[in-house]
Amino acid sequence: MVHVTCALPDPEGTQKTVHWIGNPSENFSSKPFTAQLCLTVDATACNGSKDSSPIFYLVGIPSLQEFLFLPVSFIFLFFYLLILVGNTLILVAVVIEPRLHKPMYFFLINLSALDILFTTSTVPKMLSLLLLGDHYLGFSACFLQMYLFHSFSCSEAFVLGVMACYRYVAICRPLHYPVLMTPQTNAALAASAWLTALLLPIPAVVQTFHMAFDSTAHIYHGFCDHLAVVQASCSDTTPQTFMGFCITTVVSFLPLLLVLLSYAHILATVLRISSREGLSKAFSTCSSHFLVVGTYYSSIAIAYVAYKADLPLDFHIMSNMVHAILTPVLNPLIYTLRNKDVKAAITKITCPQDPGHSGDP
């Protein structure tokens, strides 16, 4: 089901806002606005009371049966705990293990911190909705969640792009590597990725903040995604939808282009390596990052196709929810299973050996 708003003049010339609830696959223009389908309210009430801000009602997954709430919420809870534990272990391992004080692992802990923040901005509210039936979210809280979700998502894209540049320098320009990849340069690159991503969503969030909403606006989503909030507004949604599309295009395709160009040069360089050991080491170095990039952009592509292909609303909502947990849950698994140094450091933390029983008997 989808919630559609439109403005119609009544016989007295007063502007009215009409809300229609129906199936997204139906042709809206052919549907008469009957008393059974539509609810008409004064446009002056669109922003709710002058003394209070609108409240958002998160619908969640509309067709999800109530008896499935508990199993689905436990799945989300399990993955959320896995994200917290896995990424925290990587953070601790890199900080306390001197062997991991290298540029590659510096960018890895940035990615782990982002994964924790990214999922924490959305998953707790989703769990509250499914487990406790807490569908309501305050006006300011909703926009804060929207800003944090999109900022951290942007940050992840930029950090993955920076990591691709690092690998390009390490493999294609090894003689320049000590000069180019200094600790100061690494810190500047990471800070630029974070700062750019924190600034990019601000225009869209601020303009959406000033849109008109009913006193209780229904958001057909599990959290305050930008597009879902825009579609819940009584205002004209075209400018905001276009702005969101432009920001998404910049955030998605520029880092992806950087990654593809970096790996094109890396591949060309690797194929010229005559040593089988050197070739294997180069592929091993890049494979983990490439898997993470593939996972991140695959989840974005699924969410985009679900929106553009006019698929059922439930599929669109679920694809966004999966995007919120898929990459963060796979990142620690990929980096720990495919990286011996990280795996050894985490094993050292979780299973410390007794000094009195180490060594040969």
Side-chain angles (χ1 to χ4, degrees):
M1 303 296 285
V2 67
H3 182 222
V4 180
T5 62
C6 62
L8 295 174
D10 69 357
E12 299 177 0
T14 306
Q15 192 75 3
K16 300 287 185 178
T17 300
V18 177
H19 303 265
W20 182 76
I21 299 177
N23 192 298
S25 64
E26 294 177 323
N27 184 1
F28 299 142
S29 61
S30 65
K31 294 293 180 182
F33 289 96
T34 62
Q36 290 78 17
L37 293 176
C38 301
L39 172 67
T40 305
V41 294
D42 289 325
T44 54
C46 186
N47 258 330
S49 171
K50 294 181 179 180
D51 300 325
S52 61
S53 298
I55 296 175
F56 292 107
Y57 181 90
L58 298 172
V59 176
I61 307 171
S63 65
L64 184 67
Q65 300 296 322
E66 191 172 346
F67 71 91
L68 292 174
F69 282 11
L70 196 60
V72 171
S73 61
F74 276 118
I75 291 172
F76 278 107
L77 179 61
F78 172 75
F79 282 123
Y80 180 54
L81 294 176
L82 197 61
I83 290 165
L84 293 181
V85 173
N87 285 288
T88 301
L89 283 174
I90 289 177
L91 282 168
V92 174
V94 172
V95 170
I96 69 172
E97 181 56 56
R99 288 184 304 166
L100 301 182
H101 292 175
K102 300 175 182 178
M104 179 173 68
Y105 301 112
F106 170 74
F107 293 123
L108 178 58
I109 62 173
N110 276 269
L111 199 61
S112 293
L114 275 171
D115 286 339
I116 294 172
L117 295 171
F118 178 57
T119 51
T120 302
S121 68
T122 57
V123 175
K125 182 59 188 177
M126 288 159 51
L127 290 172
S128 174
L129 188 154
L130 292 169
L131 281 173
L132 307 176
D134 182 15
H135 290 265
Y136 291 95
L137 195 60
F139 189 76
S140 299
C142 180
F143 279 91
L144 177 61
Q145 185 185 63
M146 181 202 303
Y147 169 73
L148 293 176
F149 171 75
H150 290 290
S151 291
F152 296 139
S153 181
C154 294
S155 298
E156 183 141 356
F158 289 129
V159 168
L160 289 173
V162 168
M163 292 174 77
C165 292
Y166 156 76
R167 280 169 168 76
Y168 163 76
V169 174
I171 295 174
C172 301
R173 299 286 186 269
L175 297 179
H176 298 88
Y177 176 82
V179 178
L180 295 176
M181 302 307 294
T182 62
Q184 293 78 13
T185 303
N186 298 333
L189 287 171
S192 299
W194 281 78
L195 185 60
T196 304
L198 290 173
L199 293 175
L200 263 179
I202 290 178
V205 173
V206 169
Q207 290 203 18
T208 307
F209 186 86
H210 290 97
M211 294 179 76
F213 295 94
D214 289 332
S215 55
T216 302
H218 286 67
I219 298 178
Y220 286 81
H221 212 295
F223 56 88
C224 287
D225 177 65
H226 174 257
L227 183 60
V229 174
V230 167
Q231 290 175 337
S233 172
C234 316
S235 306
D236 180 15
T237 62
T238 305
Q240 289 303 317
T241 303
F242 179 72
M243 179 182 287
F245 174 77
C246 291
I247 294 175
T248 302
T249 302
V250 171
V251 170
S252 300
F253 288 103
L254 286 184
L256 179 60
L257 182 63
L258 189 61
V259 169
L260 293 177
L261 288 174
S262 298
Y263 274 100
H265 284 89
I266 289 171
L267 183 62
T269 303
V270 166
L271 292 177
R272 292 197 295 266
I273 297 176
S274 57
S275 167
R276 179 173 295 182
E277 182 181 351
L279 188 67
S280 175
K281 184 178 180 180
F283 274 119
S284 176
T285 301
C286 297
S287 58
S288 297
H289 178 253
F290 200 72
L291 281 172
V292 170
V293 170
T295 303
Y296 176 80
Y297 281 101
S298 296
S299 62
I300 290 179
I302 291 171
Y304 179 77
V305 169
Y307 170 68
K308 298 299 287 186
D310 197 24
L311 294 175
L313 182 63
D314 288 354
F315 188 87
H316 175 58
I317 295 171
M318 280 301 300
S319 64
N320 275 274
M321 289 182 169
V322 169
H323 168 62
I325 62 171
L326 181 61
T327 305
V329 80
L330 289 180
N331 282 355
L333 294 176
I334 291 171
Y335 279 108
T336 53
L337 293 177
R338 299 187 61 85
N339 190 300
K340 294 180 181 179
D341 292 334
V342 175
K343 191 190 300 184
I346 291 177
T347 303
K348 184 178 177 181
I349 295 170
T350 55
C351 304
Q353 293 183 346
D354 186 351
H357 292 84
S358 61
D360 295 328

